[in-house]
């Protein structure tokens, strides 16, 4: 089922156009990977999906992005509500310098001032979802920055999940992690796929091949090819895609 | 000459320069303590001045300075911190905000006597607060604002931009991010800046000269519209305007003022150290 539909998206920083005529459907309960060389626009594209680029002076989008059929650029779209529906995990683990509990509780608290009892349950559920509960259940009051980097990144994921989003955007979520922690995150993504629409930007092509259902290849601000991951990695239609995934270009 | 010797001579020279800078400070403090300690007594601190200020205590001046500092804090902190939050978190880079910043830099460089005259014109005469605690506090607050704003803005900007992005990505408004993450993280720097600003206010003479300070007023102020004695001004008076003033009383007054400001300074240092230990990024 189509969760997000991007239609003829152009994106500019000032006069510089960084995305040109991007159109693609993104399905619910699937993992969509976006690959491409640095500066190809894949991260910018990801950040238009929850309008995180809004804060950048001179940033401007044209075209439409429909979330469940509703244009996210429409004046009636409340951007804070959009971001609560479309959560995001960043490149570097970035827990707040607060306790583990407060980190996960942050979103629910700012969104609806969740009641204490419901909050505790929500925090536990979110931590269980990322497989962190058993590791931290006795130290919820502990400073989040004392966790390992891999744990911190899963905590950030739990913090995002606590808001109960529909879509999760991941911007190179494993680039700061060691291989084991990376595998944990990937395993987690496969499980979360059952309930969420996941879009991941990665520069690691093996990762895209391992976890995703569909892959989009970006090059110089354009979507060169978008297809089932297996097709992209075995029989790409575009020569540029083939050059990139085989390491001849990029 | 070997590089090791160059290094030794370089370090030695720098150490000597540092020592030369510190020596006068130690000398001033030592001198004041040596000459003023004899004057310090319970009476000196808690009694009214007598005999044309040549005897008795300096209680009203101490209370006056404390009240003035508190009054300054009352006005300077909300405006200063509020302004800093606006400049750091909300203001875009427009000609308007650039003008504000330029004004702040220049305000910080204005001589304090000019603030005194301005306070006289605006608060004492125009708003008809008369020479009063209110007029003095407002004048000192004006003078302190640039310090508080720039220190607070600096502290706010030092909080990683990522935290603001995470807050936004969770659906938080900008203000929620400021209140729950940015401000708590910036607090140590803000507190330090506020205290350093107040420190300067507590020791100033010129801004209070025409706006609040009483030459001789052996009672405590009863309301914000009262005049008051204040330590810096009192020190100036007894050092220059009163004949046959015992040196001990002058030095003793200086010692009390120094103790007040240095203890504020110490508070700032301790707070900063306490918060820095707890800060993790």
């Amino acid at each position: 089922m189509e969760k997000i539909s991007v239609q003829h998206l152009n994106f500019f920083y000032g006069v510089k156009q960084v995305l040109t005529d991007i159109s693609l459907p993104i399905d619910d309960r699937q993992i969509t990977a976006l690959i491409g060389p640095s500066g190809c626009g894949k991260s910018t594209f990801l950040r238009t999906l929850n309008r995180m680029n809004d804060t950048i002076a001179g940033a401007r989008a044209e075209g439409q992005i429909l979330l469940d059929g509703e244009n996210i650029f429409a004046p009636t779209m409340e951007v804070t509500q959009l971001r609560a529906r479309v959560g995001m995990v960043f490149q570097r683990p970035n827990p707040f310098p607060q306790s583990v509990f407060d980190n996960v509780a942050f979103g629910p608290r700012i969104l609806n001032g969740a009641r204490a009892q419901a909050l505790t349950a929500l925090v536990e559920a979110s931590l269980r979802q990322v497989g962190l509960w058993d590791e931290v259940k006795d130290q919820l009051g502990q400073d989040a920055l004392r966790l390992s980097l891999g744990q911190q990144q899963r905590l950030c994921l739990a913090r995002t999940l606590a808001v109960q989003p529909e879509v999760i955007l991941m911007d190179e979520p494993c680039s700061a992690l060691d291989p084991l922690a990376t595998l944990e995150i990937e395993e987690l993504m496969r499980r979360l796929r059952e309930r969420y629409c996941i879009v991941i930007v990665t520069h690691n092509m093996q990762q895209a091949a391992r976890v995703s259902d569909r892959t989009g290849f970006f090059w110089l601000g354009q979507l060169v090819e978008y297809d089932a991951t297996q097709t992209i990695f075995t029989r790409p239609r575009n020569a540029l895609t083939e050059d990139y995934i085989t390491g001849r270009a990029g | 000459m070997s590089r090791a010797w160059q290094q030794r001579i370089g370090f030695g020279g720098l150490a000597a320069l540092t020592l030369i800078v510190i020596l006068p400070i130690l000398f001033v403090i030592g001198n004041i303590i040596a000459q003023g300690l004899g004057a310090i007594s319970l009476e000196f601190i808690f009694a009214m001045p007598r005999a044309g200020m040549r005897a008795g205590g300096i209680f009203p001046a101490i209370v006056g300075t404390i009240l003035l500092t508190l009054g300054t804090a009352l006005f300077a902190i909300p405006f200063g911190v509020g302004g800093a939050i606006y400049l750091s978190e909300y203001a875009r880079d427009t000609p308007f905000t650039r003008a504000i910043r330029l004004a702040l830099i220049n305000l910080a460089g204005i001589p304090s006597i000019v603030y005194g005259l301005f306070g006289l014109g605006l608060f004492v005469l125009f708003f008809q607060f008369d020479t009063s605690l209110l007029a003095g506090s407002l004048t000192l607050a004006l003078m302190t604002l640039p310090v508080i704003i720039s220190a607070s803005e600096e502290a706010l900007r030092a909080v990683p931009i990522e935290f603001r992005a995470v807050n936004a990505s969770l659906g938080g408004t900008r203000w929620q991010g400021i209140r729950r993450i940015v401000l708590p993280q910036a607090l140590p720097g803000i507190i330090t800046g506020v205290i350093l600003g107040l420190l300067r206010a507590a020791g100033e003479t010129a801004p209070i000269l025409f706006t609040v300070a009483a030459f001789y007023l052996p009672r405590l102020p009863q309301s914000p519209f009262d005049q008051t004695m204040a330590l810096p001004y009192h020190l100036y008076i007894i050092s220059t305007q009163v004949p046959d003033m015992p040196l001990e009383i002058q030095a003793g007054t200086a010692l009390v003022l120094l103790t007040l400001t240095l203890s504020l300074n110490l508070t700032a240092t301790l707070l900063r150290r306490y918060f820095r230990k707890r800060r993790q990024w």
Side-chain angles (χ1 to χ4, degrees), chain A residues 83 92 94 97 110 143 159, chain B residues 162 166 168-169 176 185 280:
Chain A
R83 290 177 186 151
R92 229 159 40 110
N94 51 10
I110 56 173
D143 205 311
R159 179 175 61 185
Chain B
E162 268 183 304
V166 172
S169 81
Q176 285 176 320
Q185 290 298 305
Q280 291 93 9

Side-chain angles (χ1 to χ4, degrees), chain B residues 103-118:
Chain B
L104 279 176
I105 295 169
N106 284 302
L107 280 175
I110 289 182
S112 54
I113 185 72
V114 178
Y115 279 104
L117 279 172
F118 181 76

Side-chain angles (χ1 to χ4, degrees), chain A residues 64-237:
Chain A
Q64 286 197 327
I65 297 178
L66 305 180
L67 175 65
D68 287 336
E70 200 185 347
N71 186 7
I72 67 166
F73 298 121
T76 49
M77 177 63 75
E78 187 74 51
V79 70
T80 51
Q81 269 162 28
L82 168 70
R83 290 177 186 151
R85 290 172 67 190
V86 184
M88 182 165 221
V89 175
F90 295 76
Q91 191 165 354
R92 229 159 40 110
N94 51 10
F96 295 126
Q98 297 174 335
S99 72
V100 171
F101 185 93
D102 285 344
N103 263 283
V104 183
F106 187 90
R109 277 177 178 152
I110 56 173
L111 289 178
N112 47 27
R115 299 261 292 281
Q117 212 172 2
L119 195 61
T120 313
L122 187 55
V123 168
E124 177 175 342
S126 306
L127 285 169
R128 279 189 191 283
Q129 267 187 291
V130 300
L132 204 56
W133 176 252
D134 289 327
E135 294 163 54
V136 300
K137 66 180 174 211
D138 299 322
Q139 27 196 328
L140 292 174
Q142 173 187 270
D143 205 311
L145 290 154
R146 305 227 330 243
L147 301 176
S148 75
L149 272 184
Q151 288 175 320
Q152 285 186 22
Q153 193 62 314
R154 280 187 286 150
L155 178 68
C156 292
L157 190 50
R159 179 175 61 185
T160 302
L161 294 178
V163 175
Q164 299 175 311
E166 300 154 31
V167 181
I168 303 172
L169 310 177
M170 298 183 160
D171 191 359
E172 301 190 18
C174 301
S175 62
L177 305 182
D178 62 64
L180 265 176
T182 300
L183 283 181
E184 277 175 350
I185 298 277
E186 288 178 8
E187 188 50 49
L188 211 52
M189 289 172 65
R190 283 191 202 96
R191 270 192 279 138
L192 293 174
R193 176 182 177 280
E194 311 289 321
R195 293 182 52 187
Y196 301 94
C197 166
I198 299 177
V199 186
I200 178 176
V201 159
T202 177
H203 56 227
N204 179 338
M205 279 177 284
Q206 285 75 27
Q207 183 168 59
R210 279 195 299 264
V211 300
S212 69
D213 301 289
R214 286 217 218 175
T215 298
F217 171 55
F218 279 74
W219 181 271
L220 299 176
Q222 293 188 313
L223 181 64
V224 175
E225 191 164 349
Y226 182 59
D227 213 326
T229 298
Q230 209 179 355
T231 311
I232 291 274
F233 282 95
T234 52
R235 300 171 262 113
R237 267 172 295 145

